Amino acid sequence: MIPVNTMEMLMEFPSLIVQDLNNFHYDGYISICKQMYRFEIKVPASRRLSEASVNCDWRLHKLIKDFKTVIAQRLRQCENIVSFVKELQMIAERQLEDENKDTPESSKFCQQLISHIESLGWERLVFIDQSFTELHVQYMDSGNREHIMKLFIGNQYPADTPKCSVELPTKFDLHWTTQSELRDAYKQFTAAVDSYKEFWDVMSEIDTNTWVLEPEKPTYSARHRRIAISASVSVQLTVDPTHPRALPECKFLGSDQAIAPVRRSMNTNIHLWDERKGLLENLQTLLDVKFPSPTNSRKEEFSVECGICYAYRMESEIPDEVCNDTRCGQAFHKTCVIEWLRALPSSRQSFNTIFGNCPYCEKAMTVKMIVK
Ligand SMILES: [Zn+2]
Ligand SMILES: [Zn+2]
């Protein structure tokens, strides 16, 4: 481990002067609430930050003396000297502000929160902001996936329920009582994460073995996958997170003629679905297709660009309006083809449908204007 990025150190703490060629030893001043305090940090030859020695003047020592365990913990976890000194500075600033304000309430808040972080375990905390109001805690599930819960702590903590943000496929409500603390929130979060293990296993099987056209970067909350079947046909799956091995909702995209055979196979084979088998294996049996995968094809073969704007992705839209003539089968963005057809005097509109001609082959084409 390289203990310091010297440029960053210089920018953040210009008054800490490097004392050796290895950049292991710094001595000088750090600013806390615009006052300068003497500070020294020395990392031993082992390069381990956790073994570093820290010296500071008595005023700074007085400010941080109640936070010795926290500081020792941060020394073990921080990536480098800069981030450690920043955290120490943050703790001291917070403490000094409290002293200056002489508001015991705010200090009590801080003390209590820190003791709750301690009982949660500092190693689970991956981020905390300077005002101690936003915390990110981490959980690695048994599939080695990293999950983060963001907690927003109000100044009435723990009386008020913290707000939280998580990435789960269903809604997550934190159950909070006056007795609750951070570790209770964490327990609920990890239990929820564990309950979706099978769902994420199924989704990652799809993601590694097929070409996912949508979403571009699936999140843990995404239940949809649009996967390529051929250059002009794809299927959008909606997987039930509580029954991920059940037959997902399937919506086929492509021209009517092109998707007719897969629809037919699905209707014929629907009784063959077997929840003991994998979702992809089941789908391939049902649709009587073999999904193109990264091992036998390139993604560009399936992300066919729009015949009007020549791009594939347009904001969140991809070309899914396809000419119904199989010899043409050109795909367009809905927005592009609607704009095109509306500009032509030969097109006509009835309610939400536009009747016109394909910009490519001039065969009749109808486009529904309902925006998804
Ligand atoms: Zn377009
Ligand atoms: Zn056409």
Side-chain angles (χ1 to χ4, degrees):
M1 184 194 72
I2 299 156
V4 70
N5 173 337
T6 45
M7 251 338 267
E8 199 190 352
M9 192 72 176
L10 196 64
M11 305 286 287
E12 295 282 347
F13 303 104
S15 313
L16 274 186
I17 312 300
V18 64
Q19 306 290 317
D20 68 332
L21 286 173
N22 294 325
N23 304 311
F24 285 1
H25 183 192
Y26 284 83
D27 195 358
Y29 292 88
I30 59 171
S31 121
I32 288 150
C33 298
K34 300 197 177 102
Q35 292 178 50
M36 297 309 266
Y37 291 81
R38 186 72 192 264
F39 181 83
E40 181 191 18
I41 183 165
K42 205 171 180 179
V43 179
S46 68
R47 293 177 148 239
R48 279 196 202 99
L49 199 52
S50 57
E51 291 164 11
S53 64
V54 174
N55 286 308
C56 55
D57 72 26
W58 64 272
R59 293 173 308 146
L60 181 54
H61 185 261
K62 215 175 119 220
L63 274 177
I64 58 177
K65 68 177 185 330
D66 291 338
F67 298 92
K68 274 193 178 140
T69 21
V70 175
I71 289 164
Q73 173 70 36
R74 298 323 289 156
L75 261 183
R76 281 197 293 279
Q77 282 190 349
C78 283
E79 276 184 6
N80 56 49
I81 298 180
V82 185
S83 59
F84 169 71
V85 183
K86 269 193 197 165
E87 294 202 22
L88 185 129
Q89 187 186 35
M90 177 185 90
I91 292 171
E93 280 186 346
R94 175 92 201 186
Q95 209 41 28
L96 193 65
E97 276 167 13
D98 283 351
E99 277 181 12
N100 292 345
K101 264 187 281 172
D102 197 25
T103 48
E105 275 310 308
S106 150
S107 173
K108 211 179 107 199
F109 161 84
C110 192
Q111 296 276 5
Q112 185 160 42
L113 188 61
I114 284 181
S115 86
H116 286 178
I117 295 174
E118 245 151 44
S119 77
L120 165 81
W122 280 94
E123 70 285 356
R124 291 174 173 148
L125 189 73
V126 289
F127 170 83
I128 182 161
D129 73 332
Q130 295 210 350
S131 56
F132 279 40
T133 50
E134 184 178 343
L135 276 70
H136 300 180
V137 291
Q138 178 212 49
Y139 176 58
M140 297 299 283
D141 72 12
S142 55
N144 215 25
R145 288 173 283 249
E146 185 195 40
H147 299 269
I148 301 284
M149 173 163 65
K150 296 179 182 172
L151 285 158
F152 303 91
I153 310 282
N155 47 17
Q156 296 302 311
Y157 176 88
D160 283 354
T161 311
K163 290 189 176 51
C164 75
S165 141
V166 295
E167 256 182 36
L168 294 171
T170 59
K171 200 167 174 286
F172 176 74
D173 286 315
L174 198 59
H175 298 288
W176 194 264
T177 68
T178 45
Q179 309 302 314
S180 297
E181 54 172 280
L182 294 177
R183 63 171 175 204
D184 302 302
Y186 188 74
K187 220 184 255 171
Q188 291 172 38
F189 171 60
T190 57
V193 165
D194 288 340
S195 73
Y196 296 116
K197 182 195 182 289
E198 198 179 22
F199 168 72
W200 287 313
D201 286 347
V202 166
M203 297 320 253
S204 61
E205 191 208 357
I206 299 175
D207 294 340
T208 29
N209 298 301
T210 70
W211 285 122
V212 174
L213 305 177
E214 284 272 296
E216 198 180 10
K217 289 192 181 79
T219 59
Y220 290 136
S221 56
R223 299 151 63 167
H224 308 274
R225 291 293 190 276
R226 175 168 166 184
I227 60 180
I229 294 179
S230 68
S232 56
V233 180
S234 60
V235 57
Q236 169 143 317
L237 311 174
T238 307
V239 178
D240 179 351
T242 53
H243 292 103
R245 283 171 175 273
L247 173 62
E249 199 185 303
C250 297
K251 186 181 162 206
F252 298 101
L253 296 119
S255 70
D256 290 346
Q257 282 100 322
I259 63 179
V262 269
R263 268 222 181 99
R264 220 176 302 125
S265 304
M266 181 161 168
N267 290 336
T268 318
N269 300 328
I270 201 145
H271 64 281
L272 296 175
W273 192 273
D274 180 352
E275 290 192 15
R276 287 163 303 180
K277 291 182 184 162
L279 183 130
L280 281 184
E281 189 189 344
N282 269 323
L283 265 181
Q284 299 195 118
T285 311
L286 227 67
L287 308 180
D288 197 18
V289 294
K290 187 114 189 69
F291 293 121
S293 78
T295 55
N296 60 27
S297 55
R298 291 179 311 122
K299 192 172 186 178
E300 296 77 69
E301 296 169 37
F302 308 100
S303 39
V304 182
E305 64 203 21
C306 165
I308 294 169
C309 71
Y310 300 110
Y312 176 64
R313 194 169 294 279
M314 190 175 73
E315 289 174 13
S316 66
E317 216 183 319
I318 61 172
D320 55 8
E321 204 58 54
V322 181
C323 171
N324 254 329
D325 190 292
T326 34
R327 282 162 298 174
C328 171
Q330 177 64 49
F332 308 98
H333 293 120
K334 208 179 199 42
T335 319
C336 290
V337 77
I338 287 174
E339 201 179 308
W340 176 281
L341 292 177
R342 277 176 133 175
L344 293 177
S346 56
S347 307
R348 68 194 172 80
Q349 190 176 337
S350 159
F351 298 105
N352 286 328
T353 310
I354 294 190
F355 303 89
N357 300 93
C358 167
Y360 261 63
C361 68
E362 304 205 322
K363 291 270 159 34
M365 187 172 185
T366 54
V367 181
K368 283 217 166 40
M369 300 220 295
I370 303 157
V371 181
K372 284 181 289 176

PDB file of all heavy atoms in Angstrom, residues 323 328 358 360-361, ligand 2:
ATOM      1  N   CYS A 323     -40.603  -2.289 -38.913  1.00  0.00           N
ATOM      2  CA  CYS A 323     -41.426  -2.408 -40.121  1.00  0.00           C
ATOM      3  C   CYS A 323     -41.948  -3.838 -40.200  1.00  0.00           C
ATOM      4  O   CYS A 323     -41.203  -4.802 -40.031  1.00  0.00           O
ATOM      5  CB  CYS A 323     -40.596  -2.083 -41.354  1.00  0.00           C
ATOM      6  SG  CYS A 323     -41.467  -2.451 -42.896  1.00  0.00           S
ATOM      7  N   CYS A 328     -38.086  -6.240 -45.112  1.00  0.00           N
ATOM      8  CA  CYS A 328     -37.493  -4.970 -44.668  1.00  0.00           C
ATOM      9  C   CYS A 328     -37.093  -5.100 -43.200  1.00  0.00           C
ATOM     10  O   CYS A 328     -35.929  -5.199 -42.870  1.00  0.00           O
ATOM     11  CB  CYS A 328     -38.489  -3.840 -44.879  1.00  0.00           C
ATOM     12  SG  CYS A 328     -37.999  -2.269 -44.149  1.00  0.00           S
ATOM     13  N   CYS A 358     -43.548   2.911 -44.512  1.00  0.00           N
ATOM     14  CA  CYS A 358     -42.218   2.723 -43.939  1.00  0.00           C
ATOM     15  C   CYS A 358     -41.217   3.623 -44.668  1.00  0.00           C
ATOM     16  O   CYS A 358     -41.177   3.634 -45.899  1.00  0.00           O
ATOM     17  CB  CYS A 358     -41.818   1.250 -44.093  1.00  0.00           C
ATOM     18  SG  CYS A 358     -40.066   0.944 -43.776  1.00  0.00           S
ATOM     19  N   TYR A 360     -38.342   3.169 -45.239  1.00  0.00           N
ATOM     20  CA  TYR A 360     -37.369   2.368 -45.972  1.00  0.00           C
ATOM     21  C   TYR A 360     -37.938   1.697 -47.204  1.00  0.00           C
ATOM     22  O   TYR A 360     -37.452   1.871 -48.301  1.00  0.00           O
ATOM     23  CB  TYR A 360     -36.741   1.308 -45.033  1.00  0.00           C
ATOM     24  CG  TYR A 360     -35.412   1.758 -44.519  1.00  0.00           C
ATOM     25  CD1 TYR A 360     -35.341   2.906 -43.720  1.00  0.00           C
ATOM     26  CD2 TYR A 360     -34.237   1.088 -44.847  1.00  0.00           C
ATOM     27  CE1 TYR A 360     -34.129   3.358 -43.259  1.00  0.00           C
ATOM     28  CE2 TYR A 360     -33.023   1.540 -44.383  1.00  0.00           C
ATOM     29  CZ  TYR A 360     -32.970   2.676 -43.592  1.00  0.00           C
ATOM     30  OH  TYR A 360     -31.762   3.121 -43.145  1.00  0.00           O
ATOM     31  N   CYS A 361     -39.004   0.878 -46.978  1.00  0.00           N
ATOM     32  CA  CYS A 361     -39.493   0.066 -48.087  1.00  0.00           C
ATOM     33  C   CYS A 361     -40.823   0.580 -48.615  1.00  0.00           C
ATOM     34  O   CYS A 361     -41.366   0.030 -49.576  1.00  0.00           O
ATOM     35  CB  CYS A 361     -39.617  -1.387 -47.649  1.00  0.00           C
ATOM     36  SG  CYS A 361     -40.917  -1.621 -46.422  1.00  0.00           S
TER      37      CYS A 361
HETATM   38 ZN    ZN B   2     -40.057  -1.301 -44.210  1.00  0.00          ZN
END
